[in-house]
Structure formats: C-alpha cells, structure tokens
Amino acid sequence: MKHYTSIHDIDHIQTWISEALALKKHPVKHHALGKHKTLGLLFFNSSLRTRLSTQKAALNLGMDPMVMNVSGDAWGIEFGDGTVMDGSTAEHIKEAAAVVSQYCDIIAVRAFPTLTDKERDENEVVLNAFKKYASVPVVNMESATAHPLQGLADALTISEFSKKARPKVVLSWAPHVKALPHAVANSFTQVMQKMDVEFVITNPKGYDLSPEITKNVPVIHDQKEACKNADFVYVKNWSSYDQYGQILETDRSWMITKSLLGQAKFMHCLPVRRNVVVEDAVLDSQNSIVLHQANNRTYAAQLVLKKLLENL
Ligand code: CP
C-alpha cells in the first residue's frame, strides 16, 4: 500500500480488524518501527479526534509527529495548473508538497469539500494534488468525499461489540443546523459493504448519497421501519447530494431518540450536537458506544501508519 486515502485501500477488512485489535492490546510493541521517522499532519480544517488520535498513533509507533494548521498559518496554496498567481495564493502545491516531503516520511492531510463545487469535490483536488506532488505516502484524514480512518475505526468498533455473526447495521441521517459533508457516511457505507453485516441506509427523500457509493445497499425513507431490530444505528447528518451541499427542509423528527434506538448500539463519529442530532438520553446511556469509536481512532490510524512504515 503506497497511500491510505480510501476504504478501497483495505485489501481484507477482517485481517485489518485483527491487526488493529492486536495493536490495541499492545500499543507500543512496534515502537522501534517509527524511530527517526516523521509524520506531518496538515490541517486545512478543524479537528479534535483526528488531530490527537493520529498523533497518538504516531507516538505509539515511535514516530515524531509535526502538526500544521495550513489554513491561516501557512502560505495560501494554489492547486490550479498554469494559474497566474496574482491573487491570494502565494505558493503552488507543486513546491509545497515537494518541500513537505523533504521534512516528513509520511504526510497526512485533512481538507474538507467546498460543498458548492461538486466536480472539484468529487475530483478530490487537494488530496490528489498531494498524492501527485508529494514523494512520500499520503494519508487521508478526511477529504472532500472520504474519511477512511474513521471508517476503519467504525468497522473495528462494530466487530468488537457485535454479538451476532451477521448483525443488522443501520446508517441513519439526522438533522443538523449546518450543511455537512458526505465523507463519513460515504466511508462508513463503503466499509460496511466489505463486512458481513445486514446493512441499510435511512434518510429523508432528497438526501440519498451518491449511487456510486451506495451501489445496491437498500435505502429506506422511513426511519422507524429501517431501524427495526437494528443491532447498531450509526447516525450522521449530511447535506443533499443531488441538490449539492444544500440543506433541504429539515425534519426534526429524524433526531435519534431512545424509543427509536431500542436495544441497538448508538454510533456517531463525533462531534455531535446534543438534542439536535440525538437526545441526551441516548448519548448518556449504556447503548452509546461513541467513546469506544473515538478510542479506536488511535488503533485504526496506528495500523495504517504501521503498514505504510513497513513499506517505506
Ligand atoms: N470524527 C472526527 O473526525 O473528529 P474530528 O473532526 O474532531 O477530527
């Protein structure tokens, strides 16, 4: 594996889950592997979990992490080819990625979508530019369309909590006050397609994810019907894909409640807005496994970094 930018980079999910669980059991066993290796973490957007768990993963492997908030702290980066750079951007990605590659053995990047320019977002302009112009492996810490570190941690969490050979997993849309990306829902959908689970998606009409992501996963527009007999309900807001980046009429009744959840485990990538996305009674209950998910972010990132280090 040269880069980790998509769930498609996972060749065999069950093997990866076993390897991640082994790292969770013995987090510093491979501390020598990353000695004198540097991980550069470049953030174009805010983060709490990704920022800290990926650094923790690097530290567990003996790596030295270097973190930079690109938006604000670095020179404005130009991604266009042949642009006359007489505007706000001061440095081209060709130089920026090549320079960072001289300081870092692996580069991790977070760059959210515009949610206004579908073509630019789907072309993953920022992430793919780093892949093209960096001379070292690139890790996706959430891009325009994907959050594969989160997806791997989610698969690991379901595997740990599952009491059935083939659990029912529901991805449910929930209301939000802001237009949010599709990345988490996309990567979760892709990783569930690799798992032996009964997987369904539920969202209001107008919020169907890209058919290239959902493929033949059933999409049910009745949330109660979809959540019946669920073992796991993974909750996330996303903006409309068809009316790209728009918030359509928001139905507050899609907020996750204890009665809707039943005995199912509640999952969310965090951060989550209480009593908008999900009621307190769910988040504060034993059914919520969101903190376990967040904890697993470290071991998902650690497994990815370990595989990349072993391939350097
Ligand atoms: N789940 C997740 O990626 O959290 P952060 O945005 O805080 O990194």
Side-chain angles (χ1 to χ4, degrees), residues 250-288:
T250 300
D251 188 347
R252 292 272 172 155
S253 71
W254 279 70
M255 182 180 81
I256 306 301
T257 62
K258 217 169 160 49
S259 68
L260 176 83
L261 193 68
Q263 294 307 306
K265 295 292 184 197
F266 171 80
M267 298 181 73
H268 191 286
C269 62
L270 302 182
V272 68
R273 289 182 184 244
R274 282 174 173 254
N275 305 310
V276 174
V277 172
V278 54
E279 66 177 3
D280 283 339
V282 171
L283 267 177
D284 296 333
S285 76
Q286 293 295 318
N287 287 32
S288 172

Short mmCIF file of all heavy atoms in Angstrom, two decimals, residues 250-288:
data_model
loop_
_atom_site.label_atom_id
_atom_site.label_comp_id
_atom_site.label_asym_id
_atom_site.label_seq_id
_atom_site.Cartn_x
_atom_site.Cartn_y
_atom_site.Cartn_z
N THR A 250 -35.61 20.66 6.82
CA THR A 250 -35.10 19.75 7.85
C THR A 250 -36.24 19.22 8.70
O THR A 250 -36.99 19.99 9.27
CB THR A 250 -34.08 20.49 8.74
OG1 THR A 250 -33.03 20.92 7.91
CG2 THR A 250 -33.53 19.56 9.81
N ASP A 251 -36.33 17.89 8.77
CA ASP A 251 -37.36 17.26 9.56
C ASP A 251 -36.77 16.90 10.92
O ASP A 251 -36.03 15.93 11.04
CB ASP A 251 -37.87 16.02 8.83
CG ASP A 251 -39.08 15.44 9.52
OD1 ASP A 251 -39.37 15.84 10.66
OD2 ASP A 251 -39.74 14.58 8.90
N ARG A 252 -37.10 17.70 11.92
CA ARG A 252 -36.54 17.47 13.27
C ARG A 252 -36.93 16.11 13.85
O ARG A 252 -36.31 15.64 14.79
CB ARG A 252 -37.00 18.59 14.21
CG ARG A 252 -36.40 19.96 13.87
CD ARG A 252 -35.08 20.11 14.59
NE ARG A 252 -34.40 21.32 14.13
CZ ARG A 252 -33.52 21.98 14.84
NH1 ARG A 252 -33.19 21.56 16.04
NH2 ARG A 252 -32.92 23.04 14.37
N SER A 253 -38.00 15.51 13.31
CA SER A 253 -38.44 14.22 13.85
C SER A 253 -37.42 13.12 13.56
O SER A 253 -37.53 12.02 14.10
CB SER A 253 -39.80 13.84 13.28
OG SER A 253 -39.66 13.49 11.92
N TRP A 254 -36.41 13.41 12.72
CA TRP A 254 -35.37 12.41 12.45
C TRP A 254 -34.29 12.39 13.54
O TRP A 254 -33.36 11.59 13.49
CB TRP A 254 -34.72 12.65 11.08
CG TRP A 254 -35.55 12.10 9.95
CD1 TRP A 254 -36.75 12.57 9.50
CD2 TRP A 254 -35.25 10.96 9.14
NE1 TRP A 254 -37.21 11.81 8.46
CE2 TRP A 254 -36.30 10.81 8.20
CE3 TRP A 254 -34.20 10.06 9.08
CZ2 TRP A 254 -36.33 9.79 7.25
CZ3 TRP A 254 -34.22 9.04 8.11
CH2 TRP A 254 -35.28 8.92 7.23
N MET A 255 -34.38 13.26 14.54
CA MET A 255 -33.44 13.20 15.68
C MET A 255 -33.54 11.82 16.34
O MET A 255 -34.64 11.29 16.49
CB MET A 255 -33.77 14.29 16.71
CG MET A 255 -32.80 14.30 17.87
SD MET A 255 -33.15 15.58 19.09
CE MET A 255 -34.46 14.81 20.01
N ILE A 256 -32.40 11.28 16.75
CA ILE A 256 -32.40 9.93 17.31
C ILE A 256 -32.83 9.97 18.78
O ILE A 256 -32.25 10.71 19.58
CB ILE A 256 -30.99 9.29 17.19
CG1 ILE A 256 -30.48 9.35 15.74
CG2 ILE A 256 -31.00 7.86 17.73
CD1 ILE A 256 -31.34 8.66 14.72
N THR A 257 -33.85 9.17 19.07
CA THR A 257 -34.37 9.09 20.44
C THR A 257 -34.19 7.67 20.98
O THR A 257 -33.95 6.73 20.21
CB THR A 257 -35.88 9.42 20.46
OG1 THR A 257 -36.54 8.43 19.65
CG2 THR A 257 -36.16 10.81 19.92
N LYS A 258 -34.34 7.58 22.29
CA LYS A 258 -34.21 6.27 22.96
C LYS A 258 -35.24 5.28 22.43
O LYS A 258 -34.95 4.11 22.22
CB LYS A 258 -34.39 6.47 24.46
CG LYS A 258 -33.50 5.62 25.32
CD LYS A 258 -33.55 6.07 26.76
CE LYS A 258 -33.09 5.04 27.75
NZ LYS A 258 -31.86 4.36 27.49
N SER A 259 -36.46 5.78 22.19
CA SER A 259 -37.51 4.85 21.73
C SER A 259 -37.21 4.37 20.31
O SER A 259 -37.46 3.21 19.97
CB SER A 259 -38.90 5.48 21.83
OG SER A 259 -39.00 6.52 20.90
N LEU A 260 -36.65 5.23 19.47
CA LEU A 260 -36.30 4.80 18.11
C LEU A 260 -35.17 3.76 18.15
O LEU A 260 -35.18 2.76 17.44
CB LEU A 260 -35.85 5.99 17.25
CG LEU A 260 -35.38 5.60 15.86
CD1 LEU A 260 -36.56 5.45 14.91
CD2 LEU A 260 -34.40 6.60 15.29
N LEU A 261 -34.19 4.02 19.03
CA LEU A 261 -32.98 3.18 19.08
C LEU A 261 -33.28 1.78 19.61
O LEU A 261 -32.68 0.81 19.14
CB LEU A 261 -31.94 3.87 19.97
CG LEU A 261 -30.53 3.31 19.90
CD1 LEU A 261 -29.90 3.60 18.54
CD2 LEU A 261 -29.67 3.94 21.01
N GLY A 262 -34.19 1.68 20.59
CA GLY A 262 -34.47 0.38 21.21
C GLY A 262 -33.21 -0.17 21.86
O GLY A 262 -32.52 0.54 22.59
N GLN A 263 -32.87 -1.42 21.55
CA GLN A 263 -31.71 -2.07 22.17
C GLN A 263 -30.43 -1.88 21.34
O GLN A 263 -29.37 -2.36 21.72
CB GLN A 263 -31.98 -3.57 22.31
CG GLN A 263 -33.10 -3.91 23.28
CD GLN A 263 -32.88 -3.25 24.63
OE1 GLN A 263 -31.82 -3.42 25.25
NE2 GLN A 263 -33.85 -2.47 25.09
N ALA A 264 -30.56 -1.19 20.24
CA ALA A 264 -29.39 -1.04 19.35
C ALA A 264 -28.30 -0.19 19.99
O ALA A 264 -28.58 0.67 20.84
CB ALA A 264 -29.83 -0.41 18.03
N LYS A 265 -27.07 -0.41 19.56
CA LYS A 265 -25.96 0.44 19.98
C LYS A 265 -25.98 1.70 19.13
O LYS A 265 -26.21 1.65 17.91
CB LYS A 265 -24.61 -0.29 19.77
CG LYS A 265 -24.43 -1.53 20.63
CD LYS A 265 -24.30 -1.19 22.09
CE LYS A 265 -24.03 -2.40 22.96
NZ LYS A 265 -24.30 -2.14 24.39
N PHE A 266 -25.70 2.82 19.78
CA PHE A 266 -25.68 4.11 19.08
C PHE A 266 -24.24 4.46 18.71
O PHE A 266 -23.34 4.46 19.57
CB PHE A 266 -26.26 5.20 19.99
CG PHE A 266 -26.08 6.59 19.42
CD1 PHE A 266 -26.94 7.07 18.44
CD2 PHE A 266 -25.05 7.41 19.86
CE1 PHE A 266 -26.76 8.34 17.91
CE2 PHE A 266 -24.86 8.68 19.34
CZ PHE A 266 -25.73 9.14 18.36
N MET A 267 -24.05 4.78 17.44
CA MET A 267 -22.71 5.17 16.97
C MET A 267 -22.75 6.54 16.29
O MET A 267 -23.72 6.88 15.63
CB MET A 267 -22.17 4.13 15.97
CG MET A 267 -22.01 2.74 16.56
SD MET A 267 -21.34 1.55 15.35
CE MET A 267 -19.62 2.08 15.27
N HIS A 268 -21.69 7.29 16.48
CA HIS A 268 -21.54 8.60 15.81
C HIS A 268 -20.05 8.91 15.82
O HIS A 268 -19.34 8.63 16.79
CB HIS A 268 -22.33 9.68 16.55
CG HIS A 268 -22.44 10.97 15.78
ND1 HIS A 268 -21.37 11.84 15.66
CD2 HIS A 268 -23.46 11.52 15.09
CE1 HIS A 268 -21.75 12.88 14.92
NE2 HIS A 268 -23.01 12.71 14.57
N CYS A 269 -19.58 9.54 14.75
CA CYS A 269 -18.13 9.81 14.64
C CYS A 269 -17.68 10.91 15.59
O CYS A 269 -16.50 11.02 15.90
CB CYS A 269 -17.78 10.17 13.21
SG CYS A 269 -18.61 11.67 12.63
N LEU A 270 -18.60 11.76 16.05
CA LEU A 270 -18.31 12.95 16.86
C LEU A 270 -17.53 13.97 16.03
O LEU A 270 -16.77 13.57 15.17
CB LEU A 270 -17.56 12.60 18.14
CG LEU A 270 -18.26 11.59 19.09
CD1 LEU A 270 -17.38 11.39 20.33
CD2 LEU A 270 -19.65 12.05 19.51
N PRO A 271 -17.68 15.27 16.26
CA PRO A 271 -18.50 15.88 17.32
C PRO A 271 -19.98 15.77 16.98
O PRO A 271 -20.35 15.71 15.81
CB PRO A 271 -18.06 17.34 17.30
CG PRO A 271 -17.63 17.60 15.90
CD PRO A 271 -17.02 16.32 15.42
N VAL A 272 -20.81 15.74 18.03
CA VAL A 272 -22.25 15.63 17.82
C VAL A 272 -22.99 16.72 18.59
O VAL A 272 -22.59 17.07 19.71
CB VAL A 272 -22.76 14.22 18.24
CG1 VAL A 272 -22.66 13.99 19.74
CG2 VAL A 272 -24.17 13.98 17.74
N ARG A 273 -24.02 17.27 17.97
CA ARG A 273 -24.84 18.30 18.63
C ARG A 273 -25.97 17.62 19.39
O ARG A 273 -26.84 17.01 18.78
CB ARG A 273 -25.39 19.29 17.59
CG ARG A 273 -24.30 20.19 17.02
CD ARG A 273 -24.87 21.17 16.04
NE ARG A 273 -23.82 21.95 15.43
CZ ARG A 273 -23.69 23.27 15.58
NH1 ARG A 273 -24.55 23.96 16.29
NH2 ARG A 273 -22.69 23.90 14.98
N ARG A 274 -25.89 17.73 20.71
CA ARG A 274 -26.90 17.11 21.57
C ARG A 274 -28.26 17.75 21.36
O ARG A 274 -28.37 18.97 21.22
CB ARG A 274 -26.48 17.26 23.04
CG ARG A 274 -25.40 16.27 23.45
CD ARG A 274 -24.91 16.53 24.86
NE ARG A 274 -23.99 15.48 25.28
CZ ARG A 274 -24.30 14.52 26.14
NH1 ARG A 274 -25.51 14.49 26.70
NH2 ARG A 274 -23.41 13.59 26.46
N ASN A 275 -29.27 16.91 21.36
CA ASN A 275 -30.68 17.33 21.25
C ASN A 275 -31.01 18.02 19.93
O ASN A 275 -32.04 18.66 19.80
CB ASN A 275 -31.07 18.19 22.46
CG ASN A 275 -30.78 17.45 23.76
OD1 ASN A 275 -31.18 16.29 23.90
ND2 ASN A 275 -30.04 18.07 24.65
N VAL A 276 -30.10 17.86 18.96
CA VAL A 276 -30.39 18.22 17.57
C VAL A 276 -30.27 16.95 16.73
O VAL A 276 -31.19 16.55 16.04
CB VAL A 276 -29.42 19.31 17.04
CG1 VAL A 276 -29.66 19.55 15.54
CG2 VAL A 276 -29.57 20.59 17.83
N VAL A 277 -29.09 16.32 16.86
CA VAL A 277 -28.83 15.05 16.15
C VAL A 277 -29.40 13.88 16.96
O VAL A 277 -30.02 12.97 16.41
CB VAL A 277 -27.32 14.87 15.93
CG1 VAL A 277 -27.00 13.49 15.38
CG2 VAL A 277 -26.77 15.96 15.02
N VAL A 278 -29.15 13.93 18.28
CA VAL A 278 -29.51 12.81 19.16
C VAL A 278 -29.85 13.37 20.53
O VAL A 278 -29.22 14.33 20.99
CB VAL A 278 -28.33 11.81 19.24
CG1 VAL A 278 -27.03 12.48 19.65
CG2 VAL A 278 -28.63 10.64 20.17
N GLU A 279 -30.83 12.74 21.18
CA GLU A 279 -31.20 13.27 22.50
C GLU A 279 -30.22 12.80 23.57
O GLU A 279 -29.59 11.74 23.44
CB GLU A 279 -32.64 12.90 22.85
CG GLU A 279 -32.90 11.43 23.06
CD GLU A 279 -34.35 11.14 23.48
OE1 GLU A 279 -35.16 12.08 23.56
OE2 GLU A 279 -34.64 9.96 23.74
N ASP A 280 -30.11 13.60 24.63
CA ASP A 280 -29.22 13.30 25.75
C ASP A 280 -29.39 11.87 26.25
O ASP A 280 -28.42 11.19 26.57
CB ASP A 280 -29.52 14.25 26.93
CG ASP A 280 -28.94 15.64 26.72
OD1 ASP A 280 -28.01 15.79 25.91
OD2 ASP A 280 -29.43 16.58 27.38
N ALA A 281 -30.65 11.44 26.35
CA ALA A 281 -30.95 10.13 26.93
C ALA A 281 -30.26 8.99 26.18
O ALA A 281 -29.95 7.96 26.77
CB ALA A 281 -32.46 9.90 26.94
N VAL A 282 -29.97 9.19 24.90
CA VAL A 282 -29.25 8.17 24.14
C VAL A 282 -27.75 8.29 24.41
O VAL A 282 -27.08 7.31 24.75
CB VAL A 282 -29.53 8.31 22.62
CG1 VAL A 282 -28.61 7.41 21.81
CG2 VAL A 282 -30.98 8.00 22.32
N LEU A 283 -27.23 9.51 24.26
CA LEU A 283 -25.78 9.70 24.40
C LEU A 283 -25.30 9.33 25.81
O LEU A 283 -24.17 8.87 25.97
CB LEU A 283 -25.42 11.16 24.13
CG LEU A 283 -25.01 11.50 22.70
CD1 LEU A 283 -24.77 12.98 22.58
CD2 LEU A 283 -23.78 10.73 22.25
N ASP A 284 -26.17 9.56 26.81
CA ASP A 284 -25.78 9.29 28.20
C ASP A 284 -26.13 7.87 28.63
O ASP A 284 -25.99 7.55 29.81
CB ASP A 284 -26.46 10.31 29.12
CG ASP A 284 -25.97 11.73 28.81
OD1 ASP A 284 -24.83 11.87 28.32
OD2 ASP A 284 -26.72 12.69 29.05
N SER A 285 -26.58 7.05 27.70
CA SER A 285 -26.99 5.69 28.07
C SER A 285 -25.87 4.69 27.78
O SER A 285 -24.90 5.00 27.09
CB SER A 285 -28.24 5.29 27.27
OG SER A 285 -27.87 4.99 25.93
N GLN A 286 -26.07 3.48 28.28
CA GLN A 286 -25.11 2.38 28.04
C GLN A 286 -25.10 1.99 26.56
O GLN A 286 -24.17 1.34 26.11
CB GLN A 286 -25.50 1.16 28.88
CG GLN A 286 -25.35 1.37 30.37
CD GLN A 286 -23.90 1.58 30.78
OE1 GLN A 286 -23.01 0.90 30.28
NE2 GLN A 286 -23.65 2.53 31.67
N ASN A 287 -26.14 2.34 25.84
CA ASN A 287 -26.21 1.96 24.42
C ASN A 287 -25.26 2.78 23.55
O ASN A 287 -24.97 2.38 22.42
CB ASN A 287 -27.64 2.13 23.90
CG ASN A 287 -28.55 1.05 24.43
OD1 ASN A 287 -28.34 0.59 25.54
ND2 ASN A 287 -29.52 0.64 23.65
N SER A 288 -24.81 3.90 24.07
CA SER A 288 -23.92 4.74 23.26
C SER A 288 -22.50 4.19 23.31
O SER A 288 -21.94 3.98 24.39
CB SER A 288 -23.93 6.18 23.79
OG SER A 288 -22.93 6.91 23.11
#
